[in-house]
Amino acid sequence: MLLSRTQSAMPGHDGGSGAEGKRRKKRSRRKKKPKLEDYIRKRDYTGAITLLEFHRKHADEEDPELLLWLGYAYFHNGDAAAALEVYTLLAGMANNPSTEVATYRATCLFYLGEYKEAQSVAESARPSGLQNRLLFHLAHKFGNEEELMGYHRKLRDVIEDQMSLASIHYMRQHYNEAIEIYQTLLKDNRTYQAMQFYIACCYYKLDYYDSSLDLLSLYLATYPDSAVALNLKACNHFRLYDGRAAEAELKRLEDLATPSFKFAQDLIRHNMVVFRGGDNALQVLPRLVGALPEARLNLAIYYLRQDDVGNAYELMKDVDALSPQEYILKAVVNAAYGQVYGEPENLEYAQKLYQIVGLSATECDTIPGRQCMASYLYLVGEYDQVLVYLDSIKTYFYLDDDFNYNYGIAKAACGHFGDAEETLLMVQNERYRAEFCYLGWLARSYIMNGKPLLAWELYLRTESTGGDAFNLLNLIANDCYSMGHFYVAAQAFDILERTDPTPEAWDAKRGACIGVFQQIIAGVQSTDVLHDVISLLRHTPNNPQVELIIRTMTKWGLQNGLHM
Amino acid sequence: MSDHHMRSQVVENQHYDEALSLESSSEGAGYGGGDTGNVGAGYEREEGHGATGIVTGSVLGPHMGGRTEGGAGGALGMTRGLAGTAGNLDEAASGAHRVDGPAKYDASQYDDLQVSAEIRDLFGYIERYMPTSFDIETSLKPFIPEYIPSIGDIDGFLKVPRPDGKDDGLALAVVDEPCTKQSDPTVLTLQLRANSRKSNLTPMAVKAVDPVAEPKAIASWIENISEMHSRKPLPSVSYSRPMPDIEALMQEWPVEFEEALSKAGALPTAELDVDLATYARIVCAILDIPVHDSVVESLHVLFTLYREAKSHQGVNAFD
């Protein structure tokens, strides 16, 4: 096949000298017989599995030696289910050469999340380093401290056990202890480059994103196509920059990988949703709930962002919170659910969770920790203290609607109406801006800031959009009255009186109109509005007082040279 | 007007008081994460709240508590506290005193107004109405956390070793993950079949690929298959009648013939006014290739000769 050969030859080598051609021929002949060892060494487990399965299929009987390699390849390819099948087959064979198959089975079960079965298989397996490590991890999964300590004591001062201990530290969020172990291992053996990746993981968890990236670049210099390292790099970029930067890193991984690379696909799909701000969340995340711990949390976040409080709550309500993220999200769904459905129990639970996070030593000085403390104080009505916490993080939330909404209302509730007005006006979300809570506090802020006409305009706008205008009008009327903004109060009470002509309404309108009159006389209100006030009074039918008041006003007007 | 007064649900506040006493703990500069900030370390459960306390540092080693102290992070000068300007609760607290609202209407301000008794009487109505002070509800917009990317699990060294006991370096020298360049199982199987001496191979299933969804898969398939074919040995053809050896055909022409040829200018080209089959016979005749019943077999010899000659030429040219 001369044609193909020249085609596949590198430019500059074409034509092929005799020697070149011969060498290439030799190489291709060697390649013709794929060697298991080559695939294993390259970590091309798909190749290894294909080769082994091919021989297995065409052999007369099962070869236990081959099966052990097949199990190994499946296992390290991340296919614990297939590995388990192989080891289960091996366990039943009379000529099984390995004494460790039971432990291998338990290990596969562990990765499949079958912890109970993994435990019972591991316990009856032959004692070994792996068996102890496995039971150690299972004790952690079950939260059994006593057993954990027992297996911990049995760990030996060997690399495998030290690695296992480091990972337990990591899972218990004791990242500094984990780093110490990894650093010691790396110091003892500079070729243990994987430590760079693990330490980078710890730094990421500690929010030291730059340090994480520094270490990753060392690892990636040797293994530029490491999927987990590229993924971690993407996560760091997500934290440091944005989703776009993160996505670019994942794209690079996609370009590098061959179609038969199936490892970590769930992780990559999951993070794609994260980096794209929730795109495709409903197509990707529900399937991953249970497989990836973050998938459940992200799905709940997605529902919350879609304002689907019910689904978010359902997803989180049975979660036994362990990580700060889980605590926070549980608090958030309970707060949202409690407010939407008016459930005081949920609100109380939310308060408790918020408080736990906000006070924890590790979270109290983080942004989410401050948010939690502020949320707790907000729910219990300590608004001046809410401001202490929100002030400390406000630089990070300049254009955040949720933040400005809460911050503005807390400001208003504390009587800081100037800041309240400014902050509430920064809220962009139309749904938030239509809520009575928002309108009421904004109107009050306007009135307190001496801008009653803006409050009046707010009412008119609300009225035209069919909002909760009546209550707003009532609020504006009374607040304006108490602040001496009688002109707006008079107009507001006029409408209220026409809606509901009670003696009280008349009292209010009368007071407001006379208040305007007083301000005209005092020279703080233009004489032009006297006519408006008189026509407002005329709206009240069958009231002898109306004529009396109007007469007095007209008389004063004429005496002061007004055209009445 | 709804009146949600959360004050009725005030819970005891001692924990919070503790928080205030911790105010000074927010020293440190450079919050790394900007407004991201789903953080997760050393998280302590409230006492008596959960079954499995996370605070087992004393058991598994010293518990580091906060991240601002000790550890590699501290050594690198990184702290997890909020930036000084924003993070100090003390500073912020000083500005959060409740302020008195702006001045309300005060009737006494107008006492000096020179008005008739009639008007003065009217003024009395202003204070007759007592405006209602409404409590406006305060609903919380819960801060929805950022989406949380996953970095996967850490390696707990729970793994199957190589069956031959050799060191594979997995999880130590290199992270235990497959390389990104995995063989295509179908292509490899085809290759294995091609090399197999067994004849009882069962037919194999070939996977289907959606060209729209997986354009990359198609490209890689084509590449893999053509590479595989390039490694296959040549198919041999058995001729129905004996054909001369290619080596014999490769021998140089007699000098006379070469001379005649150079005199004629060139070999007859395809422009010769004959049909294709006749032209093929002519060319075969010139090259000493016999034509028996079918011209196809002769043409196969012709092309085989052509290829050999070409590669031979290439070697000469290179030398």
Side-chain angles (χ1 to χ4, degrees):
Chain A
M1 303 300 282
L2 183 83
L3 192 67
S4 309
R5 211 159 71 197
T6 40
Q7 225 174 33
S8 68
M10 297 294 287
H13 290 251
D14 48 11
S17 73
E20 253 299 310
K22 227 175 272 167
R23 207 179 311 142
R24 200 179 307 125
K25 218 177 205 168
K26 208 188 248 170
R27 199 193 309 138
S28 78
R29 193 175 303 141
R30 184 151 40 100
K31 262 189 169 172
K32 263 191 225 160
K33 283 250 155 58
K35 284 249 175 55
L36 176 65
E37 179 63 24
D38 293 338
Y39 290 118
I40 296 283
R41 215 167 18 79
K42 280 190 295 184
R43 288 176 289 125
D44 175 358
Y45 301 115
T46 314
I49 291 163
T50 309
L51 179 63
L52 290 164
E53 289 285 17
F54 182 83
H55 288 303
R56 185 181 172 199
K57 194 169 163 192
H58 298 108
D60 300 327
E61 56 185 39
E62 294 281 14
D63 171 5
E65 202 67 45
L66 182 149
L67 288 176
L68 276 171
W69 280 106
L70 189 59
Y72 174 85
Y74 274 127
F75 182 89
H76 289 278
N77 203 32
D79 191 346
L84 177 66
E85 212 172 289
V86 171
Y87 289 128
T88 306
L89 179 68
L90 260 171
M93 286 167 63
N95 55 349
N96 163 28
S98 171
T99 53
E100 303 302 318
V101 166
T103 314
Y104 299 164
R105 283 192 63 227
T107 310
C108 293
L109 287 163
F110 177 85
Y111 284 110
L112 290 168
E114 307 283 348
Y115 299 136
K116 280 261 173 277
E117 203 185 337
Q119 191 183 33
S120 78
V121 174
E123 275 170 349
S124 57
R126 200 182 70 95
S128 68
L130 175 60
Q131 185 234 23
N132 186 57
R133 291 196 295 276
L134 187 59
L135 289 168
F136 182 48
H137 276 255
L138 281 163
H140 166 73
K141 294 280 181 204
F142 291 128
N144 188 331
E145 291 299 313
E146 208 177 303
E147 282 191 7
L148 187 81
M149 289 327 301
Y151 296 120
H152 180 211
R153 272 191 294 276
K154 282 199 227 163
L155 291 179
R156 290 166 305 144
D157 191 17
V158 294
I159 293 160
E160 294 85 344
D161 286 5
Q162 288 305 303
M163 287 282 295
S164 212
L165 177 62
S167 71
I168 291 278
H169 279 312
Y170 176 96
M171 285 186 284
R172 299 172 89 96
Q173 291 146 28
H174 300 154
Y175 301 112
N176 288 312
E177 289 91 327
I179 289 172
E180 215 168 290
I181 294 175
Y182 293 135
Q183 273 173 341
T184 308
L185 291 175
L186 183 59
K187 213 172 347 160
D188 292 349
N189 191 336
R190 301 312 294 184
T191 64
Y192 284 177
Q193 276 202 274
M195 303 305 142
Q196 293 163 339
F197 170 75
Y198 306 137
I199 300 170
C201 287
C202 295
Y203 281 155
Y204 171 83
K205 291 282 188 179
L206 288 164
D207 300 344
Y208 305 147
Y209 306 120
D210 289 315
S211 305
S212 181
L213 284 172
D214 286 348
L215 275 162
L216 276 177
S217 70
L218 291 177
Y219 185 76
L220 284 168
T222 312
Y223 300 101
D225 65 340
S226 163
V228 290
L230 286 171
N231 177 61
L232 178 57
K233 190 176 174 190
C235 294
N236 274 303
H237 281 195
F238 180 66
R239 296 290 199 210
L240 279 176
Y241 314 115
D242 53 22
R244 274 248 294 280
E247 203 183 320
E249 290 301 323
L250 277 198
K251 274 265 178 287
R252 190 181 320 199
L253 173 57
E254 263 179 16
D255 292 343
L256 280 172
T258 53
S260 43
F261 177 76
K262 299 290 180 225
F263 185 77
Q265 290 303 301
D266 284 350
L267 190 68
I268 291 161
R269 264 194 289 272
H270 169 272
N271 284 350
M272 229 26 156
V273 173
V274 169
F275 298 155
R276 290 180 177 165
D279 262 17
N280 270 337
L282 291 182
Q283 284 75 47
V284 176
L285 298 183
R287 205 174 42 80
L288 301 179
V289 170
L292 278 179
E294 291 87 355
R296 178 186 293 276
L297 306 183
N298 285 321
L299 189 56
I301 292 170
Y302 175 80
Y303 283 136
L304 285 169
R305 293 195 173 182
Q306 302 300 309
D307 216 28
D308 183 350
V309 174
N311 264 322
Y313 180 72
E314 278 305 310
L315 210 50
M316 292 302 298
K317 74 173 186 296
D318 296 326
V319 171
D320 185 18
L322 284 170
S323 67
Q325 283 105 330
E326 285 164 342
Y327 267 82
I328 292 170
L329 213 48
K330 275 204 90 154
V332 169
V333 295
N334 274 289
Y337 190 86
Q339 291 194 126
V340 171
Y341 297 100
E343 297 283 356
E345 264 177 42
N346 292 107
L347 285 173
E348 253 170 71
Y349 189 39
Q351 285 168 19
K352 188 174 165 173
L353 293 166
Y354 274 136
Q355 200 189 21
I356 293 171
V357 180
L359 291 178
S360 72
T362 53
E363 298 305 307
C364 66
D365 290 331
T366 64
I367 291 173
R370 295 275 167 91
Q371 285 179 322
C372 285
M373 205 58 210
S375 302
Y376 160 70
L377 293 162
Y378 195 105
L379 289 178
V380 299
E382 301 279 347
Y383 300 110
D384 46 352
Q385 294 303 326
V386 169
L387 293 180
V388 173
Y389 283 88
L390 292 187
D391 275 330
S392 74
I393 54 171
K394 70 176 170 196
T395 46
Y396 303 102
F397 294 98
Y398 181 63
L399 284 175
D400 187 284
D401 275 352
D402 289 334
F403 185 89
N404 286 329
Y405 182 99
N406 296 329
Y407 189 55
I409 287 172
K411 280 274 186 196
C414 288
H416 301 290
F417 293 111
D419 291 349
E421 178 187 328
E422 195 185 314
T423 311
L424 287 173
L425 286 175
M426 283 167 73
V427 174
Q428 299 295 314
N429 186 325
E430 286 303 327
R431 209 160 38 76
Y432 290 6
R433 291 169 72 106
E435 284 179 17
F436 181 74
C437 175
Y438 175 88
L439 292 167
W441 284 111
L442 181 59
R444 178 164 286 172
S445 300
Y446 279 144
I447 295 163
M448 297 302 166
N449 294 333
K451 301 169 184 171
L453 284 174
L454 288 178
W456 183 247
E457 279 170 24
L458 200 60
Y459 157 71
L460 293 176
R461 251 202 321 276
T462 309
E463 229 258 324
S464 67
T465 53
D468 195 357
F470 180 79
N471 282 333
L472 186 61
L473 186 63
N474 216 342
L475 174 81
I476 291 171
N478 281 285
D479 276 9
C480 281
Y481 198 103
S482 67
M483 295 309 292
H485 301 309
F486 291 118
Y487 184 54
V488 170
Q491 292 176 81
F493 279 122
D494 177 53
I495 296 173
L496 288 169
E497 187 201 34
R498 280 191 274 166
T499 318
D500 187 15
T502 61
E504 203 206 0
W506 162 244
D507 283 356
K509 180 169 136 181
R510 180 185 61 190
C513 288
I514 295 168
V516 179
F517 185 45
Q518 187 181 52
Q519 285 169 339
I520 292 169
I521 297 171
V524 293
Q525 180 70 273
S526 158
T527 51
D528 299 347
V529 300
L530 192 57
H531 290 282
D532 301 342
V533 170
I534 290 170
S535 53
L536 288 177
L537 286 166
R538 288 225 164 89
H539 288 154
T540 309
N542 312 321
N543 191 323
Q545 263 195 327
V546 169
E547 279 314 309
L548 181 80
I549 297 167
I550 290 174
R551 209 176 313 128
T552 311
M553 287 179 173
T554 312
K555 191 172 151 195
W556 181 87
L558 292 169
Q559 278 168 355
N560 286 275
L562 298 183
H563 179 77
M564 297 308 291
Chain B
M1 193 173 299
S2 55
D3 181 3
H4 283 245
H5 238 280
M6 299 308 184
R7 271 161 224 270
S8 60
Q9 292 165 6
V10 167
V11 299
E12 46 182 338
N13 201 15
Q14 314 107 328
H15 289 298
Y16 173 57
D17 296 334
E18 285 165 32
L20 286 183
S21 72
L22 289 172
E23 277 167 7
S24 61
S25 70
S26 62
E27 88 275 334
Y31 182 81
D35 63 349
T36 63
N38 292 300
V39 286
Y43 192 60
E44 292 175 54
R45 280 197 173 196
E46 189 194 37
E47 270 178 81
H49 176 77
T52 57
I54 310 174
V55 196
T56 51
S58 54
V59 174
L60 290 169
H63 176 51
M64 305 302 273
R67 293 177 196 168
T68 47
E69 27 173 316
L76 289 165
M78 294 173 300
T79 62
R80 202 160 153 275
L82 293 145
T85 49
N88 199 321
L89 288 178
D90 274 334
E91 234 170 77
S94 61
H97 297 302
R98 196 190 170 97
V99 293
D100 293 324
K104 294 197 165 196
Y105 170 70
D106 178 7
S108 65
Q109 280 189 322
Y110 300 92
D111 285 350
D112 301 337
L113 231 46
Q114 298 297 312
V115 288
S116 63
E118 199 181 12
I119 293 177
R120 178 81 53 203
D121 284 349
L122 281 189
F123 284 176
Y125 286 121
I126 298 175
E127 286 186 289
R128 191 77 65 80
Y129 176 72
M130 301 293 291
T132 317
S133 178
F134 291 105
D135 283 320
I136 310 171
E137 65 180 299
T138 52
S139 72
L140 172 72
K141 294 286 170 219
F143 297 107
I144 302 171
E146 296 261 323
Y147 285 110
I148 307 157
S150 174
I151 65 168
D153 290 330
I154 200 87
D155 197 308
F157 222 96
L158 308 174
K159 56 181 82 265
V160 175
R162 275 178 66 119
D164 57 8
K166 282 188 191 153
D167 179 17
D168 54 18
L170 294 180
L172 298 174
V174 57
V175 175
D176 186 4
E177 62 177 341
C179 75
T180 40
K181 300 257 177 287
Q182 297 286 304
S183 298
D184 185 310
T186 318
V187 174
L188 181 53
T189 307
L190 285 171
Q191 201 182 326
L192 290 164
R193 291 167 70 92
N195 288 326
S196 175
R197 266 179 238 102
K198 297 201 173 170
S199 51
N200 61 338
L201 296 177
T202 44
M204 64 180 283
V206 177
K207 67 174 176 181
V209 174
D210 179 355
V212 182
E214 301 174 81
K216 200 177 145 192
I218 294 282
S220 124
W221 170 262
I222 292 170
E223 193 185 308
N224 284 328
I225 290 292
S226 59
E227 196 187 329
M228 188 193 83
H229 282 303
S230 75
R231 294 208 194 109
K232 268 193 191 164
L234 286 179
S236 52
V237 175
S238 43
Y239 303 114
S240 52
R241 297 294 241 340
M243 284 289 180
D245 188 55
I246 294 293
E247 278 301 313
L249 292 172
M250 291 272 283
Q251 296 310 309
E252 284 177 21
W253 276 315
V255 182
E256 299 82 8
F257 190 80
E258 290 270 11
E259 275 170 8
L261 202 63
S262 55
K263 260 183 224 157
L267 286 167
T269 67
E271 255 131 75
L272 212 62
D273 188 18
V274 291
D275 64 16
L276 183 62
T278 314
Y279 178 65
R281 282 166 184 276
I282 292 169
V283 173
C284 286
I286 295 172
L287 294 168
D288 295 336
I289 299 168
V291 178
H292 302 289
D293 306 330
S294 154
V295 76
V296 173
E297 288 185 6
S298 305
L299 280 173
H300 186 269
V301 179
L302 174 69
F303 290 131
T304 313
L305 175 63
Y306 173 76
R307 194 194 59 199
E308 280 300 313
K310 197 155 188 245
S311 80
H312 193 67
Q313 255 174 16
V315 173
N316 286 342
F318 198 84
D319 291 336

